[in-house]
Amino acid sequence: MAVVTQSLEELCINSIRFLAVDAVEKAKSGHPGLPMGAAPMAFVLWDQFMRFNPKNPKWFNRDRFVLSAGHGCMLQYALMYLVGYDSVTMDDIKQFRQWGSKTPGHPENFETPGVEVTTGPLGQGIANAVGLAIAEAHLAAKFNKPDATLVDHYTYVILGDGCNMEGISGEACSLAGHLGLGKLIALYDDNHISIDGSTDIAFTEDVSKRFEAYGWHVLHVEDGNTDLAAIGQAIAAAKAVTDKPTMIKVTTTIGYGSPNKAGTASAHGSVFGADEIKLTRDKLGWEYEPFVVPEDALTHTRKAVERGAGLEAEWEATLAQYKTKFPQEAAEFERLINGKLPEGWDKVLPTYTPEDKTLASRKHSEICLNKLAPVLPELFGGSADLTHSNLTELENSGEFQAGHYENRNLHFGVREHGMGAICNGIALHGSGLIPYGATFLIFTDYMRCSIRLSALSQAGVIWVMTHDSVALGEDGPTHQPVETIASLRAIPQLTVLRPADGTETSGAYKVAVLNANQNRPTLLALSRQGLPNLAGSSIDGVAKGAYSVIDCDGTPDLILIGTGSEVNLCVKAAEQLTSEGQKVRVVSMPSWDLFEAQDAAYKESILPKAVRKRVAVEAGITMGWHKYVGDQGAVVGIDSFGASAPGGVCMEKFGFTLENVLAKAKAVLAAS
Amino acid sequence: MAVVTQSLEELCINSIRFLAVDAVEKAKSGHPGLPMGAAPMAFVLWDQFMRFNPKNPKWFNRDRFVLSAGHGCMLQYALMYLVGYDSVTMDDIKQFRQWGSKTPGHPENFETPGVEVTTGPLGQGIANAVGLAIAEAHLAAKFNKPDATLVDHYTYVILGDGCNMEGISGEACSLAGHLGLGKLIALYDDNHISIDGSTDIAFTEDVSKRFEAYGWHVLHVEDGNTDLAAIGQAIAAAKAVTDKPTMIKVTTTIGYGSPNKAGTASAHGSVFGADEIKLTRDKLGWEYEPFVVPEDALTHTRKAVERGAGLEAEWEATLAQYKTKFPQEAAEFERLINGKLPEGWDKVLPTYTPEDKTLASRKHSEICLNKLAPVLPELFGGSADLTHSNLTELENSGEFQAGHYENRNLHFGVREHGMGAICNGIALHGSGLIPYGATFLIFTDYMRCSIRLSALSQAGVIWVMTHDSVALGEDGPTHQPVETIASLRAIPQLTVLRPADGTETSGAYKVAVLNANQNRPTLLALSRQGLPNLAGSSIDGVAKGAYSVIDCDGTPDLILIGTGSEVNLCVKAAEQLTSEGQKVRVVSMPSWDLFEAQDAAYKESILPKAVRKRVAVEAGITMGWHKYVGDQGAVVGIDSFGASAPGGVCMEKFGFTLENVLAKAKAVLAAS
């Protein structure tokens, strides 16, 4: 082995590289290439610029770091170990990608304190980062005072070619440029390699020029492998431009140091093997055994612990001063960052009686949002260019725009997927903000990965999805959800709610806000068309997922189960059947998952095993309903695409008529 | 009314505008703004450049037109009426957005001959157009000879701000630039308005510069409202550049001509009302009644009929010559465009016995693709940068790249959504090509709208999705599908197949190719891990969706139902239970939708009503299985997210063990 004298920086950077190589080798799985190439930029960033406290990963005013190229997570784990996070010990690194470890195959914020967001699906991280930067900008505009800067941190991202190829990154970065988010700094690991080979085979656009077109400040570090000074100068220059986000293209070599794999696709996601690792050690003059970090390197990097404690203490002093000068704002700030909802916030949610006006549930949603907005200043969001269809505008606030970051109405543009990840980022900023994002229910298809990630990564977002069935009418099958609600119910840890009227919409918002406060997302499916207010609907019922809105004496002959706009149809059918002498219960079932979370006794009280005659009515596919209607039941649903026609015509043609529901119910009752 | 003398061009353009206005008014629903602003560019394009035959909308060598801003469909219907398509009569226009009409609320290729693709969900159309242009380039490279140009047409697109905000358009256009698709010409209706208001509120990027960064030829028509000459010059200039796609930014006024709505968001999607329509008629000097087209205009536009007949006749002459000179190629060309599969193509699909090697179904998929590729030259596709994970490379072809459009391996880059819409475009080119697109199953979440649109718009695509369960292992929950298969089964008209072994993978490909030939998409869910070959699996069984792979004498005590990798687990459990004296049937159920399409007798033969003891085993969510296992059955599934660990460990921890399946089965057998 050629012994090479290494500078302290090189020792640190090579420590990152070999922790990655050795962990991947031990796991026989993982992605060594990115950590090896991006170690210099990451080291310079973490060593010279990032402000954080490893001993308190939740310190509010930390800089946020997002590894958007999440497959390179060993880079982040190595850094976290080196700087002294308790969440990533050397034992954890040795458990890379094993069951129950703190070092899963992609960064997971819910597993590893200090990881801000969950990445891996490409492009999500950079879009999350836009959300983190929006949260910072909003809170800074809201709380900072000329002589008291309480909120002041950067959001740093490392992203790769894959992230830049994904449309979601384009959406989010276009918006970031529009908003002028100066404290967002993205380092683009320009290594010319994607999984299939050189980026020459599919990705030859001029990324820098594209980011300039978005309105970003763009820099280039030509030698990201060794020119640490240039990296540092670029980050400093990025920080100096405060009215635009910065993209620093850092040209690197994937798998840097590996004689046979560097600069090739095989460095990306394959285990090097003992021979190549030995050659790499030789090449980089690395004389240390696997999982051994030279003392000099560790001593240096662990200075982050003291530095971080100092930064936090300094900020605590600022906060203390702020409390003295601005007690009211300080109380509000602390309420937010401690995740406390104000006392009695839910009292503003209205309830309705059948005498109240027939309104669409999207309209009830608008009422709820605007009732909640004054008591919940943390409510913050908007629509993907459908504000006046989704009805999501907060009347008591203006538009969140450059120069007006204190405002709460976000215009996402026609960028559903970007909106999704941005909302996740706002939620995962961890400062009590409750983001909401809106579009037509059908277009959850454009943002499904982000919705899934809000569920997986425990991002307390409210998804306000309107136009929830073929009843939306003329826009036709491209716009009419039929399978959409079922497909969303399928996502674990996501509460899906389809309220039946005004009171149930209030109930849905109560659930959604409580969920958000507990870091759980909620999706609301709301009608375009007007819905009569039911006599039996209730806020508490919604919280249980399913409950009786009409009941009979004794054991029902039949249970009709409806959701959303179809509950009223069930009520009408029940009235008719009752008048004909049947004993009928109507169950409104706004949420399957909330119902499943109830205890067995409650479930039995609503859907008693003894009552086998059941009919579910929902203007969507029948899939999944058999669990609730059972072998003797029936489902009135739509197992095909919709059609372009007025909404009422669609509902009629697809069988959502009193006549058809009665026919189905009577067939079920008559069957032996 | 101020009578204004109008040029013939103005008469035609205003005819388009008022057909749109009047149809929207009659329907009380729709989007007049885009047709009014984009009528000039559309008229110039259709009148001076587009080569098509209104009386044969399927003429192979027609130029393809895509209205990516699909909400403006009255623009397209008006044009189709004016140029003489039989599919859009004046009566059809009067039935705009009504049940069963040929003029639905967004362009639907399956409703209206002459509409190439189904648009509405923004950004899909421009990405479809990239697929159409790819198909043209491929067929041209394949069939054209130095002295015989059989394939030679352009793809024209009109897209709006909404399309340009969507990430999918960025993905597809970046790839189009990379591929140098010179016969793709996009007219960008730059009207500064999106639904929420001025594009200033969310979309201030430099779109032209972004397209330049993608490698496009970019032009600008500054006055798209009246400068017809400039529009014509720009399109001519676009055609002259053959090695790059062209984006022509055409600056227009949305709702042009309406005194109070032009240039505002309210022109976009709202009905004008009688008063404003009168004012607009005054403003544009339009003296005609609703739905009346001046004779001069119609006479002029209807010349397209004769022109089109001539163009087609000319091409038929070229084809006749080609047949003489190149009979073999001509026969192949005609086979393709007539949608005939070659005799006996399916004979190449291999079958296996339990003695054959244990391979992953993704590997079997690779074998099928490469067995099929020589006999089905129409097979054409690739992966979103996971070629060697999805195993989708065709060995007998090179890469589809500029200068090598005859090749069949497409590199989509990390652009799943773009890939989806591009594959739809290739299929909807209608020339017999069978496109396939591949990524990890979980990332169908990134392209769900495109998959839905392949089902809705009858695009015969094969979706090759690998890594189909938590058994993929270390990549963890961001990469592990659990709800994904269920959510895809939910899409109407999509065949979802999860084969259990090599023979079933062959069966899946047989279904997929036949489906594609019948304009129906198929999604294959394939394993990362090896699967033993089963004794009872069969190609014919797969085609029926579910069938017995192990059976007993007489009526079974228990039916075990499995899919994909879990069928073998069911087989093992059945062997054990049989040895303990139980009568057990194992049903492999690769496809719910194919099973549902069987007749009642077949269904009863596989899942007899009398057998109520049933257990389904699938490494995914349990949703939907209750329909098949019934009230007395059980499901072994995963109703939570996965975890990062080796695949075998994941399967064990989530209960996919012989022990657990036996326990569940015995509990079901024991229950009263």
Side-chain angles (χ1 to χ4, degrees):
Chain A
M1 180 187 289
V3 175
V4 182
T5 307
Q6 310 205 352
S7 70
L8 182 60
E9 287 82 0
E10 285 170 323
L11 277 181
C12 295
I13 290 167
N14 284 330
S15 294
I16 297 169
R17 289 185 174 129
F18 284 98
L19 283 175
V21 168
D22 294 334
V24 169
E25 181 67 15
K26 182 162 191 294
K28 298 288 173 211
S29 168
H31 300 79
L34 182 133
M36 296 172 80
M41 71 177 95
F43 170 71
V44 170
L45 175 65
W46 283 54
D47 189 54
Q48 296 179 35
F49 294 94
M50 282 251 297
R51 295 160 57 96
F52 59 96
N53 181 1
K55 297 305 174 198
N56 180 11
K58 293 286 170 202
W59 170 43
F60 167 78
N61 204 37
R62 69 195 180 274
D63 289 337
R64 267 61 171 181
F65 174 76
V66 175
L67 183 65
S68 190
H71 53 274
C73 55
M74 265 312 306
L75 174 74
Q76 190 164 0
Y77 300 146
L79 284 161
M80 290 175 71
Y81 166 71
L82 290 175
V83 301
Y85 279 85
D86 296 330
S87 46
V88 183
T89 65
M90 188 59 87
D91 280 345
D92 293 316
I93 287 178
K94 291 178 183 168
Q95 286 300 303
F96 181 52
R97 296 188 147 223
Q98 304 309 303
W99 184 266
S101 81
K102 291 285 165 203
T103 49
H106 291 85
E108 295 171 359
N109 62 304
F110 53 94
E111 289 289 357
T112 318
V115 170
E116 304 286 356
V117 297
T118 294
T119 58
L122 292 170
Q124 299 288 335
I126 176 70
N128 293 155
V130 174
L132 291 167
I134 285 174
E136 196 269 352
H138 178 63
L139 294 167
K142 196 178 161 83
F143 289 107
N144 288 350
K145 304 287 177 182
D147 56 348
T149 304
L150 203 55
V151 184
D152 179 20
H153 53 266
Y154 282 80
T155 301
Y156 295 104
V157 190
I158 292 179
L159 77 166
D161 290 300
C163 292
N164 270 330
M165 280 191 257
E166 292 285 6
I168 184 177
S169 65
E171 291 178 16
C173 290
S174 174
L175 185 60
H178 167 80
L179 293 171
L181 297 170
K183 291 166 93 173
L184 172 62
I185 298 175
L187 293 96
Y188 162 33
D189 179 32
D190 168 46
N191 65 28
H192 292 293
I193 291 295
S194 70
I195 295 178
D196 276 4
S198 163
T199 50
D200 288 349
I201 63 173
F203 187 54
T204 49
E205 63 167 66
D206 183 340
V207 175
S208 294
K209 186 170 177 173
R210 172 156 63 91
F211 274 76
E212 282 169 11
Y214 292 149
W216 284 51
H217 171 224
V218 177
L219 300 169
H220 185 197
V221 174
E222 289 179 28
D223 172 11
N225 295 324
T226 64
D227 193 347
L228 306 187
I231 295 169
Q233 283 154 16
I235 299 173
K239 292 184 69 172
V241 171
T242 57
D243 62 345
K244 291 179 175 187
T246 295
M247 197 274 277
I248 306 172
K249 179 164 105 165
V250 187
T251 300
T252 67
T253 303
I254 193 170
Y256 180 85
S258 161
N260 297 303
K261 292 188 176 257
T264 75
S266 76
H268 167 83
S270 61
V271 179
F272 279 15
D275 292 349
E276 186 65 19
I277 291 176
K278 184 175 181 316
L279 291 175
T280 308
R281 281 188 145 75
D282 284 355
K283 173 96 173 176
L284 294 178
W286 195 251
E287 60 196 17
Y288 304 95
E289 290 300 303
F291 302 108
V292 171
V293 170
E295 207 181 313
D296 288 357
L298 198 62
T299 303
H300 176 74
T301 54
R302 286 282 163 95
K303 286 180 186 161
V305 173
E306 198 184 329
R307 196 165 64 234
L311 290 167
E312 182 165 353
E314 208 176 288
W315 181 79
E316 288 288 350
T318 305
L319 177 60
Q321 286 179 347
Y322 189 92
K323 280 189 200 178
T324 314
K325 289 191 202 165
F326 312 103
Q328 205 175 334
E329 290 92 331
E332 179 68 359
F333 177 77
E334 293 202 307
R335 180 183 75 74
L336 280 181
I337 68 169
N338 293 320
K340 305 279 181 216
L341 293 171
E343 271 314 299
W345 63 273
D346 57 323
K347 300 291 177 280
V348 301
L349 292 167
T351 55
Y352 301 85
T353 68
E355 289 67 45
D356 287 312
K357 203 169 162 186
T358 289
L359 295 175
S361 53
R362 64 176 170 145
K363 183 72 191 168
H364 285 296
S365 163
E366 184 183 44
I367 293 167
C368 287
L369 282 170
N370 278 290
K371 291 278 185 189
L372 289 171
V375 295
L376 292 178
E378 52 265 58
L379 207 56
F380 178 48
S383 163
D385 198 44
L386 289 168
T387 302
H388 304 295
S389 295
N390 302 140
L391 302 177
T392 46
E393 193 168 57
L394 304 184
E395 288 157 16
N396 70 342
S397 183
E399 294 181 3
F400 179 92
Q401 298 283 3
H404 298 281
Y405 292 145
E406 69 283 4
N407 289 336
R408 297 199 266 155
N409 286 300
L410 276 160
H411 283 293
F412 291 105
V414 192
R415 303 180 179 107
E416 297 84 6
H417 205 177
M419 172 174 75
I422 288 169
C423 286
N424 290 344
I426 294 170
L428 294 173
H429 191 262
S431 46
L433 294 175
I434 301 181
Y436 64 93
T439 182
F440 289 154
L441 180 62
I442 191 73
F443 297 134
T444 55
D445 280 358
Y446 271 67
M447 54 186 293
R448 189 170 165 89
C449 187
S450 292
I451 295 174
R452 182 182 208 260
L453 282 167
S454 59
L456 177 64
S457 69
Q458 302 173 7
V461 181
I462 303 177
W463 303 114
V464 182
M465 300 300 169
T466 71
H467 295 61
D468 72 346
S469 76
V470 297
L472 68 85
E474 292 90 345
D475 275 348
T478 55
H479 285 56
Q480 291 167 343
V482 287
E483 79 285 20
T484 317
I485 291 171
S487 79
L488 292 163
R489 285 179 182 140
I491 298 177
Q493 298 174 204
L494 176 69
T495 297
V496 176
L497 280 157
R498 188 167 185 248
D501 69 356
T503 301
E504 283 203 2
T505 306
S506 290
Y509 270 93
K510 181 166 177 182
V511 169
V513 170
L514 289 171
N515 268 352
N517 185 251
Q518 295 299 312
N519 306 321
R520 190 181 163 108
T522 306
L523 187 139
L524 310 179
L526 303 165
S527 74
R528 179 190 185 204
Q529 78 276 24
L531 307 178
N533 289 293
L534 307 170
S537 61
S538 89
I539 288 179
D540 291 343
V542 170
K544 292 186 166 151
Y547 66 106
S548 303
V549 288
I550 286 191
D551 213 349
C552 52
D553 288 335
T555 304
D557 302 320
L558 174 79
I559 299 176
L560 293 169
I561 313 171
T563 79
S565 45
E566 286 71 71
V567 178
N568 185 52
L569 194 51
C570 293
V571 167
K572 287 211 158 85
E575 287 167 357
Q576 177 65 31
L577 291 164
T578 303
S579 77
E580 295 173 16
Q582 301 285 354
K583 295 200 289 180
V584 182
R585 170 181 296 176
V586 174
V587 171
S588 176
M589 195 169 189
S591 173
W592 288 9
D593 61 293
L594 291 179
F595 182 66
E596 291 295 338
Q598 304 309 309
D599 61 29
Y602 182 77
K603 289 193 224 178
E604 173 65 18
S605 75
I606 301 300
L607 298 177
K609 287 200 181 64
V611 184
R612 306 310 308 155
K613 308 284 188 182
R614 304 176 181 186
V615 177
V617 187
E618 185 174 65
I621 61 166
T622 58
M623 181 173 152
W625 275 111
H626 298 87
K627 179 172 184 183
Y628 300 109
V629 299
D631 294 351
Q632 296 175 46
V635 189
V636 179
I638 308 175
D639 284 318
S640 66
F641 288 113
S644 175
V649 176
C650 287
M651 288 298 268
E652 189 192 322
K653 296 281 187 184
F654 286 109
F656 293 88
T657 60
L658 181 57
E659 194 181 11
N660 188 44
V661 173
L662 284 173
K664 280 276 165 61
K666 287 176 182 179
V668 165
L669 282 165
S672 58
Chain B
M1 181 187 289
V3 175
V4 182
T5 306
Q6 308 206 354
S7 69
L8 182 61
E9 287 82 1
E10 285 168 325
L11 278 181
C12 295
I13 290 167
N14 283 330
S15 294
I16 297 169
R17 289 184 174 129
F18 283 97
L19 283 175
V21 167
D22 294 334
V24 169
E25 182 66 15
K26 182 162 192 293
K28 299 288 174 211
S29 168
H31 300 80
L34 181 133
M36 296 173 80
M41 71 177 96
F43 171 71
V44 171
L45 175 65
W46 283 53
D47 190 53
Q48 297 179 35
F49 294 94
M50 282 250 299
R51 296 160 58 95
F52 59 97
N53 181 1
K55 297 305 174 196
N56 180 10
K58 292 286 169 201
W59 170 42
F60 168 78
N61 203 37
R62 69 193 181 278
D63 289 338
R64 267 62 172 180
F65 174 76
V66 174
L67 182 64
S68 190
H71 52 275
C73 55
M74 264 313 306
L75 175 74
Q76 189 165 1
Y77 301 146
L79 284 160
M80 290 175 70
Y81 166 71
L82 291 174
V83 301
Y85 279 86
D86 297 329
S87 47
V88 183
T89 64
M90 189 59 89
D91 280 345
D92 293 315
I93 286 178
K94 290 177 183 168
Q95 286 300 303
F96 181 51
R97 296 189 147 221
Q98 303 309 303
W99 184 267
S101 81
K102 292 285 166 206
T103 47
H106 291 85
E108 296 173 358
N109 61 304
F110 52 96
E111 290 289 354
T112 317
V115 171
E116 304 287 355
V117 298
T118 294
T119 57
L122 292 171
Q124 299 288 334
I126 175 71
N128 293 157
V130 174
L132 292 167
I134 285 174
E136 196 269 352
H138 178 63
L139 295 167
K142 194 178 163 84
F143 288 107
N144 289 351
K145 304 287 178 182
D147 56 349
T149 303
L150 203 55
V151 184
D152 181 19
H153 53 265
Y154 282 80
T155 302
Y156 295 103
V157 190
I158 292 179
L159 76 166
D161 289 300
C163 292
N164 270 331
M165 280 190 259
E166 291 285 6
I168 183 176
S169 65
E171 291 179 15
C173 292
S174 174
L175 184 60
H178 167 79
L179 293 172
L181 298 170
K183 292 167 91 173
L184 172 63
I185 297 175
L187 293 95
Y188 162 35
D189 179 32
D190 169 46
N191 64 26
H192 293 294
I193 292 294
S194 71
I195 295 179
D196 276 3
S198 163
T199 50
D200 288 349
I201 63 173
F203 187 54
T204 49
E205 62 167 67
D206 182 340
V207 176
S208 294
K209 185 169 177 174
R210 172 155 65 90
F211 274 76
E212 283 169 11
Y214 291 149
W216 285 49
H217 172 223
V218 177
L219 299 168
H220 186 198
V221 174
E222 287 180 29
D223 172 10
N225 295 325
T226 63
D227 193 348
L228 306 187
I231 294 170
Q233 285 154 16
I235 299 174
K239 291 184 70 173
V241 171
T242 57
D243 62 344
K244 289 179 176 187
T246 296
M247 197 275 275
I248 307 172
K249 180 164 102 166
V250 187
T251 301
T252 68
T253 303
I254 193 169
Y256 180 86
S258 162
N260 297 303
K261 293 189 175 256
T264 74
S266 76
H268 166 83
S270 60
V271 179
F272 278 15
D275 292 348
E276 185 66 18
I277 291 175
K278 185 174 180 321
L279 293 175
T280 307
R281 280 188 146 75
D282 286 352
K283 172 96 174 177
L284 293 178
W286 196 248
E287 59 196 20
Y288 305 94
E289 291 299 303
F291 302 109
V292 172
V293 171
E295 205 181 314
D296 288 356
L298 197 62
T299 304
H300 176 75
T301 54
R302 285 283 161 95
K303 287 181 187 160
V305 173
E306 197 184 329
R307 195 165 64 232
L311 289 168
E312 181 164 355
E314 207 177 290
W315 181 79
E316 287 289 349
T318 306
L319 177 59
Q321 287 179 347
Y322 188 92
K323 279 188 196 176
T324 315
K325 288 192 200 163
F326 312 103
Q328 206 176 334
E329 289 91 332
E332 178 68 359
F333 176 76
E334 293 201 307
R335 180 183 75 74
L336 281 181
I337 69 169
N338 293 320
K340 305 278 180 215
L341 293 170
E343 273 311 299
W345 64 271
D346 56 323
K347 301 290 177 280
V348 302
L349 292 167
T351 56
Y352 301 85
T353 67
E355 289 68 44
D356 286 312
K357 203 169 160 185
T358 290
L359 295 174
S361 53
R362 64 176 169 144
K363 183 71 190 169
H364 285 297
S365 164
E366 183 183 45
I367 293 168
C368 287
L369 282 170
N370 279 290
K371 291 278 185 189
L372 290 170
V375 295
L376 292 178
E378 53 265 57
L379 206 57
F380 178 48
S383 162
D385 198 44
L386 289 169
T387 302
H388 304 295
S389 295
N390 303 141
L391 303 176
T392 47
E393 192 168 57
L394 304 184
E395 288 157 16
N396 70 342
S397 185
E399 291 179 8
F400 179 93
Q401 296 284 3
H404 298 282
Y405 292 144
E406 69 283 4
N407 290 335
R408 294 152 71 191
N409 286 300
L410 276 161
H411 283 293
F412 291 103
V414 191
R415 303 179 180 107
E416 298 82 7
H417 205 178
M419 172 174 76
I422 288 169
C423 286
N424 290 344
I426 295 171
L428 295 173
H429 191 262
S431 47
L433 294 175
I434 301 180
Y436 64 92
T439 183
F440 289 153
L441 179 63
I442 191 74
F443 296 134
T444 55
D445 280 358
Y446 271 67
M447 52 186 293
R448 188 170 166 89
C449 187
S450 292
I451 294 174
R452 183 182 207 262
L453 282 168
S454 59
L456 177 65
S457 68
Q458 303 172 7
V461 180
I462 304 177
W463 302 116
V464 182
M465 300 300 169
T466 71
H467 295 61
D468 72 347
S469 76
V470 297
L472 68 85
E474 292 90 344
D475 276 349
T478 55
H479 285 56
Q480 291 167 342
V482 288
E483 78 285 21
T484 318
I485 292 172
S487 79
L488 292 162
R489 284 178 182 140
I491 298 177
Q493 299 175 202
L494 176 69
T495 297
V496 177
L497 281 156
R498 187 167 186 246
D501 68 357
T503 300
E504 283 204 0
T505 306
S506 289
Y509 269 93
K510 183 167 176 181
V511 168
V513 170
L514 290 171
N515 268 354
N517 185 251
Q518 296 300 312
N519 306 321
R520 191 183 162 105
T522 305
L523 187 140
L524 310 179
L526 303 165
S527 74
R528 180 191 184 202
Q529 77 277 22
L531 307 178
N533 289 294
L534 307 171
S537 62
S538 90
I539 287 179
D540 291 344
V542 170
K544 295 189 163 147
Y547 65 106
S548 302
V549 289
I550 285 188
D551 212 348
C552 52
D553 290 333
T555 304
D557 302 320
L558 174 79
I559 299 176
L560 293 170
I561 312 172
T563 81
S565 45
E566 286 71 71
V567 178
N568 185 53
L569 193 52
C570 293
V571 167
K572 287 214 159 85
E575 287 167 356
Q576 177 66 31
L577 291 164
T578 303
S579 78
E580 294 173 16
Q582 302 286 354
K583 295 202 287 180
V584 182
R585 170 181 297 176
V586 174
V587 170
S588 176
M589 194 169 191
S591 173
W592 287 10
D593 61 292
L594 292 178
F595 182 66
E596 291 295 337
Q598 305 307 309
D599 60 28
Y602 181 77
K603 288 192 221 177
E604 172 65 19
S605 77
I606 301 302
L607 298 178
K609 287 200 182 62
V611 184
R612 306 310 309 156
K613 308 286 188 180
R614 305 176 181 184
V615 177
V617 186
E618 184 174 66
I621 61 165
T622 58
M623 181 174 153
W625 275 111
H626 298 86
K627 179 173 183 181
Y628 300 109
V629 301
D631 294 352
Q632 297 176 45
V635 189
V636 180
I638 307 175
D639 284 318
S640 67
F641 288 114
S644 175
V649 174
C650 287
M651 288 298 268
E652 190 192 320
K653 296 281 187 184
F654 285 108
F656 294 88
T657 60
L658 180 58
E659 195 180 11
N660 189 43
V661 173
L662 284 172
K664 281 277 163 61
K666 288 178 183 179
V668 166
L669 282 165
S672 57

